[in-house]
Amino acid sequence: MATIIETKNLTHRYSKNKTVKPAINDISLQIPEGGIFGFIGPNGAGKTTTMRILCTLLRPTAGDAWIGGCSVRNDPRGVRRQIGYMPDFFGVYNEMKVWEYLDFFASCYDIPGSKRVGLIDDLLQLVDLAHRRNDYVDSLSRGMKQRLCLARTLTHDPKVLILDEPASGLDPRARIEIRELLRELQSMGKTIFFSSHILLEVAEICTTIGIIEAGELVIQGGMQDIQGQRKTRCIQVVVTERAQEAQALLQSLPNVIDVNLHQHSERKFELRVDFAGDDQAQTAILTRLIQAGLPIVNFQEKSTDLEDVFMQVTKGIVS
């Protein structure tokens, strides 16, 4: 599949109190056409800086980025023709009606007036706001404003959508609506690059994921690729008694990083064991527990989710 978004050694530094600090440093990534890329990281990690460079709102200090083959350095107009950008704030258009808001942006893209009526109708149908066409923007809920803002990014039919926290501050129902809308846009052939703090939703809809920490891209790839880059695994052990003895034994074993103990039920205790090792090392842990005569009722490896990976990466456990 062809690559539509690419960065190579992308770097941006800023000066503060005569000190030069990197906002992002040496970021290289490739995103295939038609995919959904989830960009996650702690606050201040460099997500918004990266996205603003891709949108030609910031010029990189070093490196370059390309969208559809157009360089953000050398052909910013070519980049802008191919992207729709949705920032993490809505903007001040409260005294416009919904249709006027879309009409205004369509005119900014030189779309003839004769085509705007049909275009606006189609966009409002897509984001389920046709019934609010004549309402003022100020009267919309936050979720509706987010959907309207997303419709605005589509007025010139871009190939790539760059969305900064599109589900930020939304209630669960509105987040689901945005998630389903992103899936629909992908089915229409759009490539979507979005940042988010909602890790579960990123894992559910993204084809590829990138995790950024302190300006460094520490992991990228599909969920299976990311899980394969973990250096630790997690085992769930359930015992009916002697839980503290089991915890002490596990903590004494080689390759075991941490053991967390909590009450599983009235008569059972669960130990969550983080360890660095292969299948043979996992078998050795079980063998030691059995040799100690501990009353084990469950022993299994827990599947890795995006939250586990994120917490390890941002704590520096995985590199």
Side-chain angles (χ1 to χ4, degrees), residues 203-263:
E204 283 184 354
I205 70 171
C206 290
T207 54
T208 53
I209 296 166
I211 301 179
I212 186 172
E213 163 75 357
E216 305 276 350
L217 188 66
V218 291
I219 284 184
Q220 63 174 308
M223 270 304 296
Q224 289 187 341
D225 299 327
I226 288 175
Q227 288 173 341
Q229 293 183 54
R230 285 190 73 190
K231 293 182 179 179
T232 65
R233 301 162 71 178
C234 180
I235 300 172
Q236 180 193 51
V237 182
V238 180
V239 296
T240 54
E241 55 186 19
R242 299 166 60 190
Q244 292 183 343
E245 181 184 343
Q247 183 180 28
L249 173 60
L250 289 165
Q251 288 173 332
S252 71
L253 298 179
N255 300 321
V256 171
I257 298 170
D258 192 23
V259 181
N260 292 302
L261 170 64
H262 65 85
Q263 189 93 23

Side-chain angles (χ1 to χ4, degrees), residues 58-77:
L58 281 178
R59 186 174 178 83
T61 306
D64 204 349
W66 297 265
I67 294 183
C70 298
S71 164
V72 299
R73 281 183 173 274
N74 304 319
D75 188 10
R77 288 184 178 272

Side-chain angles (χ1 to χ4, degrees), residues 98-106 120 123-124 148 151-152 155:
V98 166
W99 74 267
E100 290 174 329
Y101 175 81
L102 294 179
D103 185 73
F104 169 74
F105 281 98
I120 291 169
L123 290 175
L124 291 177
L148 178 60
R152 183 256 294 169
T155 51

Side-chain angles (χ1 to χ4, degrees), residues 51-226:
M51 299 172 83
R52 287 178 177 170
I53 290 174
L54 292 175
C55 295
T56 73
L57 298 176
L58 281 178
R59 186 174 178 83
T61 306
D64 204 349
W66 297 265
I67 294 183
C70 298
S71 164
V72 299
R73 281 183 173 274
N74 304 319
D75 188 10
R77 288 184 178 272
V79 170
R80 291 168 194 162
R81 282 193 292 267
Q82 299 185 73
I83 66 170
Y85 173 53
M86 179 176 166
D88 59 352
F89 59 92
F90 185 74
V92 183
Y93 300 94
N94 291 336
E95 295 184 2
M96 281 186 173
K97 292 184 178 181
V98 166
W99 74 267
E100 290 174 329
Y101 175 81
L102 294 179
D103 185 73
F104 169 74
F105 281 98
S107 67
C108 291
Y109 285 106
D110 296 324
I111 297 172
S114 60
K115 295 183 178 180
R116 287 183 212 157
V117 175
L119 172 65
I120 291 169
D121 287 343
D122 290 344
L123 290 175
L124 291 177
Q125 288 286 347
L126 178 64
V127 300
D128 195 25
L129 286 176
H131 62 295
R132 305 299 295 266
R133 175 189 176 90
N134 292 309
D135 293 349
Y136 285 97
V137 172
D138 189 39
S139 70
L140 301 181
S141 67
R142 180 173 175 82
M144 289 179 179
K145 287 181 178 179
Q146 291 292 84
R147 299 207 307 272
L148 178 60
C149 194
L150 189 53
R152 183 256 294 169
T153 69
L154 297 166
T155 51
H156 59 302
D157 194 24
K159 295 179 180 178
V160 175
L161 301 179
I162 299 177
L163 316 176
D164 195 354
E165 296 282 354
S168 175
L170 301 186
D171 61 47
R173 181 182 182 86
R175 288 204 303 270
I176 292 171
E177 290 170 349
I178 288 289
R179 184 179 67 206
E180 294 307 312
L181 185 52
L182 295 184
R183 284 188 172 132
E184 185 171 355
L185 291 170
Q186 182 196 20
S187 71
M188 295 166 59
K190 306 295 184 187
T191 302
I192 301 170
F193 183 119
F194 80 100
S195 65
S196 179
H197 285 109
I198 307 169
L199 303 185
L200 177 61
E201 294 186 356
V202 170
E204 283 184 354
I205 70 171
C206 290
T207 54
T208 53
I209 296 166
I211 301 179
I212 186 172
E213 163 75 357
E216 305 276 350
L217 188 66
V218 291
I219 284 184
Q220 63 174 308
M223 270 304 296
Q224 289 187 341
D225 299 327
I226 288 175

Side-chain angles (χ1 to χ4, degrees), residues 297-316:
V297 294
N298 188 40
F299 182 97
Q300 65 176 348
E301 183 172 357
K302 292 180 67 69
S303 61
T304 304
D305 60 24
L306 183 57
E307 185 175 281
D308 292 331
V309 175
F310 179 81
M311 291 302 295
Q312 288 197 14
V313 169
T314 54
K315 288 180 180 178

